[in-house]
Amino acid sequence: MSRTSTAAPKSAGAGASAVPVAAPGALAPDVNLPESLGYRVKKRLLGQPLVNDELHGEKLSNPTALGIMGIDMISSSAYGSEQMLTQLIPYFGALGFMLVMPITGVILGMLILLTLCYRDVVSVYTKAGGSYVVARDNFGPKIAQIAAVALMIDYVVTVAVQISAGTDAIASYLAITFSVDITSWKLWITVAVVLLLCYGNLRGVKEAGKLFASPAYVYIVLVGITLILGVVQLATGTLHHATNAHDTSSYGGIVQVGGHTNFLLTAGAALALLRGFANGGSSLTGLEAVSNGISVFKKPAGTNARKTLTAMSVILGSLVLGISILAWQMKTYPYTNGAPTVLAQITHLVWGKNAVGSVMITLVQIATALILYTGGNTSFSGFPFLVSYVADDSFLPRQLRTRGHRLAFSNGIVVLTILSLVLIVAMGGNLTKLVSLYAIGVFTGFVMAATGLFKYHWIRNEPRRTWKLFVNGSAAVCSLAVVLIFAVTKFTEGAWLVVVVFPPAVFGLIQLNKRYRREADALANTPASALLPTRTETSVMVLVDSVDLAVIKTLRYARSLRPTELRAVHLMVDNVYAEQLRNQWDASQAADIPLEVIEVPDRRIRRAAMELAARETSDNYEVTVLLPRRTYSPVVGRLLHDRTADRLAEVLSTLPHVVATIVPFDVVEAIEELELAEKGRKSKVREAEGTGAAKPRSTKKMLLDAECASIPDPGHGVPVPLTPIGTVQWRQRAAVEGRIRSVAVSPVKGSPALEAELYDSSGGITLVFYGRRSIPGIEPGASMRVEGMVGEMEGHLAMANPTYKLLPREYGDDE
């Protein structure tokens, strides 16, 4: 199986006789790419990079999924009732406490309707994506961008609202327990928590497992016990009432108390009621989380998702109803700065000012802060996946599809962090102002999901079709009404921002998609010049601006192309410098190629280069212009050197039959080598090389560095003893096990041959399967065990037609 080689004969190891062929254990060139400063900082902050095998989707049980996906939804109970009161009390005064009950009833009715709608969503669409996928499949990708923008706004505002509410919970605890006011620090605490969540998610913190589910259950239990005890006290007549109706403390005082108790039928009263309903609608946020992450449920995913969604809705409805009832009976006025919160006041009054009360207020407020903070963290999982879906459809920059250093969608995480911080700072971390932005995005997503499901069932004749049409149609109409109410009643309080941003954002996504499609069409288009017969004459021109190692490297590459004509050209803008260059050229090792100097009197080098290349193509040549480019460190390169090669390549590439190729030369590495030589280190390197220390054997295609190659062996415990690839010897039978890094089809004497590169932590070997173009299962990333005679191919170890066994992968499917 060996191929012809001119290398000197070498021994292949113990017991192997020397033969007149290339050394089978020949080492690949020592390729060492120095790590950049940014990469070293990234590794220090985020840890070692993860490999693709560590990317897997964890399938969740219903209780765990409830704790993880219900965080956002259930945590909104901590501020939903309070946000209703912030809008009712300034107009109706104490009457607002009674009016909060019918509004709560309407919101719970919306909750039931939307729950029925989303139970239908997760039954029909068992892939992650939620309202975006529903809208895309039923209305097309352009209309789906409305849902995409709505969900993106929802995720950004969720971070701002949840984290700000969590900080309010901490401030409430300090205010009630220790009479400490941290109002001036709340904004910076909120910013710090957002940055901490960003850092954790960039490190690859996954929203899965009991660690992330526990805050939800702790909150449900503690707040549930508090509400039950409060209702019992209400029934027995022992419920305490709040005494903060006229509080003007340093905490900022309660919200302004209005006195329009006799004008319930006026336009102002109707507007106040609608504002209260709009703020209370924030309690329904997070309902879509199950549909967005349905792929993580255990099978049957649809059934388990419906059960979890129903449980989430029952828990949320119970908590919101209980908090509204106790707030109504206790008369707990909300504060302008958000602390103490209504929930904190209820907890304090229910448990009393005793040891038990101190413990319970501490536990409830800590649990509230944790569930709110972890609720904000749900956006750091949902937003990057959403934008990756949209980017897959070419409506967002494609960089958002790429997983980063720790297999997270790092670009999406960074974008979410920046947008949420801008929003938090702009609103001063004020929860009431942030809630004004909340429900428009959320309920727009509800509208798209419900409308999409309505169309889905409309065109199908299926069981219970009428009921499904009624549920989804009603949910669409009610959700649209909430959007309109929010847009009108909250317009001056910040909702204008969403209303103004929404249409341009949708338009921008559609225009970006058009740009991507135009680029794809242009790349797929076959120009008339490509249909002409291929030219057989080739001309390579090396543009020379100095005589140095960069130019020498470019000339060496030019010779390897074996062109019909090879020219070295200097475009002269300075005749004195040109003469010096000619003298240096004649005295250098490049003198065997004559240097052609062409005058550029107007100093327009790009135009002169285009004219030169165009003249060459007119002689029926295919022209390659080689441009030496010296690469420096980013800062030094931008400050001290121009980018002439890049600008020349940009214009030359527009010409037919012309290819502009940049040949880079790393000046930074050359400087390091020079310093190494000056300090006498080269002698030490040669001495170390003279010891004959063994290196791992490699294949002819090994281009990965040692860090990436050091992936642990799969270790499946096969009965036949295995040999590390790095220790196999020529002309001996061996059994090895590893991962396939590359697969290619190469012609061998007119017949196809499938070549696969197999690696373990000690080295690599080439597997050749003659007469095959593909073999099912043999693909990059697959693990396999092979056994056969070790030979050589092109100077490297190889096995021809070995027996093989594909090994199961030890990780789950990517969600």
Side-chain angles (χ1 to χ4, degrees), residues 206-218:
K206 290 180 170 49
E207 188 184 15
K210 297 180 180 179
L211 177 64
F212 288 95
S214 56
Y217 285 105
V218 172

Side-chain angles (χ1 to χ4, degrees), residues 585-604:
W585 185 270
D586 293 339
S588 72
Q589 57 180 301
D592 60 328
I593 301 176
L595 177 64
E596 181 180 352
V597 179
I598 300 177
E599 182 184 15
V600 186
D602 58 1
R603 296 171 301 283
R604 298 173 65 186

Side-chain angles (χ1 to χ4, degrees), residues 311-591:
M312 286 168 49
S313 299
V314 170
I315 293 171
L316 173 65
S318 301
L319 294 178
V320 170
L321 180 61
I323 292 173
S324 293
I325 291 175
L326 294 184
W328 164 39
Q329 293 296 320
M330 290 179 166
K331 302 297 187 293
T332 51
Y333 286 85
Y335 283 78
T336 56
N337 66 357
T341 63
V342 168
L343 179 58
Q345 295 179 54
I346 290 174
T347 304
H348 183 60
L349 292 171
V350 166
W351 292 101
K353 299 180 180 179
N354 49 46
V356 175
S358 298
V359 172
M360 288 305 299
I361 187 66
T362 300
L363 294 177
V364 169
Q365 291 308 109
I366 291 177
T368 303
L370 284 177
I371 193 176
L372 288 167
Y373 284 156
T374 51
N377 187 64
T378 59
S379 290
F380 282 95
S381 296
F383 181 89
F385 274 101
L386 170 67
V387 296
S388 72
Y389 297 149
V390 180
D392 278 337
D393 294 334
S394 298
F395 284 90
L396 279 176
R398 289 171 179 166
Q399 295 91 325
L400 296 172
R401 303 181 305 176
T402 306
R403 292 185 182 272
H405 189 75
R406 301 281 291 180
L407 295 181
F409 291 105
S410 304
N411 293 331
I413 292 172
V414 172
V415 169
L416 175 63
T417 301
I418 294 173
L419 293 177
S420 59
L421 287 178
V422 169
L423 183 60
I424 289 170
V425 173
M427 295 297 176
N430 187 288
L431 182 60
T432 301
K433 293 180 180 179
L434 289 169
V435 166
S436 300
L437 308 174
Y438 210 171
I440 292 184
V442 177
F443 278 87
T444 301
F446 292 164
V447 172
M448 298 304 297
T451 308
L453 261 295
F454 184 88
K455 180 182 178 182
Y456 178 89
H457 295 301
W458 179 265
I459 62 178
R460 287 170 172 80
N461 188 10
E462 54 188 353
R464 304 179 63 196
R465 175 173 177 267
T466 303
W467 168 250
K468 294 175 181 178
L469 289 174
F470 170 76
V471 169
N472 291 295
S474 301
V477 171
C478 293
S479 298
L480 180 60
V482 174
V483 172
L484 296 176
I485 291 172
F486 238 97
V488 173
T489 63
K490 294 297 200 176
F491 188 83
T492 59
E493 297 181 21
W496 64 268
L497 181 62
V498 178
V499 174
V500 170
V501 167
F502 212 104
V506 174
F507 178 78
L509 296 188
I510 294 175
Q511 291 302 115
L512 180 61
N513 177 258
K514 288 182 179 179
R515 174 69 183 185
Y516 273 132
R517 286 191 286 110
R518 286 198 299 268
E519 292 174 354
D521 291 342
L523 292 172
N525 182 42
T526 303
S529 59
L531 301 177
L532 297 176
T534 304
R535 297 181 175 185
T536 58
E537 301 293 320
T538 60
S539 174
V540 173
M541 291 189 296
V542 178
L543 296 189
V544 176
D545 61 345
S546 63
V547 182
D548 56 18
L549 291 177
V551 173
I552 299 300
K553 177 182 179 181
T554 305
L555 289 171
R556 185 163 56 244
Y557 173 64
R559 288 190 180 95
S560 70
L561 298 177
R562 297 182 180 179
T564 305
E565 182 181 16
L566 175 59
R567 301 169 61 186
V569 178
H570 172 66
L571 300 176
M572 184 186 74
V573 295
D574 184 337
N575 60 335
V576 176
Y577 178 78
E579 184 62 27
Q580 295 174 353
L581 176 63
R582 189 195 301 273
N583 294 333
Q584 294 173 4
W585 185 270
D586 293 339
S588 72
Q589 57 180 301

Side-chain angles (χ1 to χ4, degrees), residues 45 67 120 541 545 746 775:
L45 293 178
D120 194 14
M541 291 189 296
D545 61 345
S746 302
I775 298 177

Side-chain angles (χ1 to χ4, degrees), residues 728-742:
V728 299
Q729 296 186 10
W730 182 45
R731 289 189 175 179
Q732 291 188 8
R733 193 167 188 84
V736 296
E737 185 176 296
R739 285 166 41 90
I740 298 175
R741 284 296 179 82
S742 67

Side-chain angles (χ1 to χ4, degrees), residues 613-641:
R615 285 198 304 268
E616 199 77 1
T617 60
S618 65
D619 295 333
N620 206 36
Y621 278 114
E622 288 285 349
V623 178
T624 299
V625 181
L626 299 182
L627 303 163
R629 183 177 68 182
R630 301 148 190 90
T631 59
Y632 306 86
S633 60
V635 176
V636 174
R638 292 185 181 277
L639 293 179
L640 303 182
H641 303 278

